[in-house]
Amino acid sequence: MNTNRINELRKEWEAEEKIAHIHGWDFSHIHGRYEEEEDLPWDYEAIIRENLTDNIQLMDFDTGGGEFLLSLKHPYENTAATEGYPPNVELCKETLLPLGIDFRACDDAKNVPFADEYFDMLINRHGDFDAKEAGRLLRQGGLFITEQVGANNDRDLVEMVLPDFPKPFPELELAIQQKKFQDEGFEILRAEEVYRPIRFYDIGAFVWFAHIIEWEFPGFSVEKCFDKLLKMQEIIDRDGFVEGTIHRYLIVAKKRRL
């Protein structure tokens, strides 16, 4: 790779680094430049809709900017949400509260600011959760539905730029979390786990992504990882993409009736 191209790549990647931020949970900046979750064996939205009726009390924990929650079109008076990331908290205040959705700021899954047995359904996609607190919040027969990012998510990509960095959330394995819900008296209706590819078609998209998912790539920067990014670029030049592996799991659990 010649010096001119190396310098151009550095400029492109540093530009991506400077603009790396997120509003809500919006990855449109790299749309078409990467792909993931194209072939999960379940449909999180469909599972929710199969169990959702207008009269039930629904809560979305770690709702992001509320985009997915709003897409469900559940009656606003029967809808609640929490979020803990400060920029998204402000976004939710602006978008959800005026609709009549009961939004409350919360960054502690073990201490959610709602009353006991307040909800019929708790949903959570890629957010924090706690089995005991879910049991407190749900009415008897209520459902907890979550699609989660597993402990091994993107580990091969992390190794490419930050070798030997330990897993940030080693307990996010299906077997471990499933047992926690069973120990809290839940009936497990569905429990599935899968590994699927994630592909980046340009390294600039990866740089942006690694800064957004900072808990997986702590301390990542173009300057620190430049030589390793060049090696990833060589893979793209050869294969058209660089590939890693996502780790996802699904739990649908029902609070047992006494």
Side-chain angles (χ1 to χ4, degrees), residues 48-240:
I48 292 169
R49 291 188 181 278
E50 287 168 6
N51 294 281
L52 195 60
T53 56
D54 286 352
N55 63 317
I56 75 170
Q57 291 291 333
L58 170 71
M59 195 263 274
D60 185 15
F61 188 85
D62 277 355
T63 192
E67 303 92 343
F68 175 75
L69 179 62
L70 290 175
S71 76
L72 295 174
K73 300 186 186 303
H74 193 61
Y76 297 147
E77 66 272 18
N78 293 335
T79 303
T82 70
E83 174 59 32
Y85 181 53
N88 286 347
V89 168
E90 294 308 310
L91 177 61
C92 288
K93 288 179 179 178
E94 294 170 5
T95 58
L96 302 184
L97 287 178
L99 297 174
I101 290 174
D102 190 352
F103 171 76
R104 305 184 189 184
C106 177
D107 62 0
D108 183 358
K110 295 182 179 181
N111 186 23
V112 183
F114 287 94
D116 294 357
E117 299 189 346
Y118 193 82
F119 297 105
D120 302 289
M121 184 186 295
L122 301 180
I123 62 174
N124 178 306
R125 185 175 185 268
H126 301 185
D128 198 5
F129 64 94
D130 178 78
K132 183 174 183 179
E133 186 71 341
R136 181 187 71 79
L137 292 165
L138 281 169
R139 296 167 180 162
Q140 293 180 33
L143 289 179
F144 176 82
I145 302 173
T146 189
E147 178 190 297
Q148 282 295 321
V149 176
N152 301 308
N153 192 63
D154 296 333
R155 292 304 300 172
D156 33 17
L157 293 172
V158 174
E159 284 291 322
M160 289 182 191
V161 291
L162 298 168
D164 303 321
F165 181 79
K167 298 176 185 179
F169 305 109
E171 285 205 345
L172 292 183
E173 302 274 1
L174 177 61
I176 295 172
Q177 299 305 324
Q178 180 177 341
K179 185 177 186 301
K180 287 184 178 182
F181 278 90
Q182 290 170 323
D183 290 347
E184 291 297 329
F186 281 82
E187 175 187 359
I188 304 299
L189 304 182
R190 290 184 69 170
E192 302 176 37
E193 189 167 36
V194 70
Y195 290 85
R196 288 288 189 267
I198 177 173
R199 289 180 173 179
F200 290 88
Y201 297 98
D202 73 79
I203 297 302
F206 172 77
V207 168
W208 187 91
F209 178 91
H211 276 285
I212 297 301
I213 314 297
E214 58 186 352
W215 53 92
E216 288 187 358
F217 298 89
F220 169 82
S221 71
V222 171
E223 180 180 1
K224 178 180 178 179
C225 303
F226 187 67
D227 290 343
K228 295 179 176 65
L229 292 172
L230 286 176
K231 291 181 180 179
M232 294 175 72
Q233 181 64 51
E234 290 174 358
I235 296 172
I236 290 181
D237 290 344
R238 184 189 69 215
D239 300 335

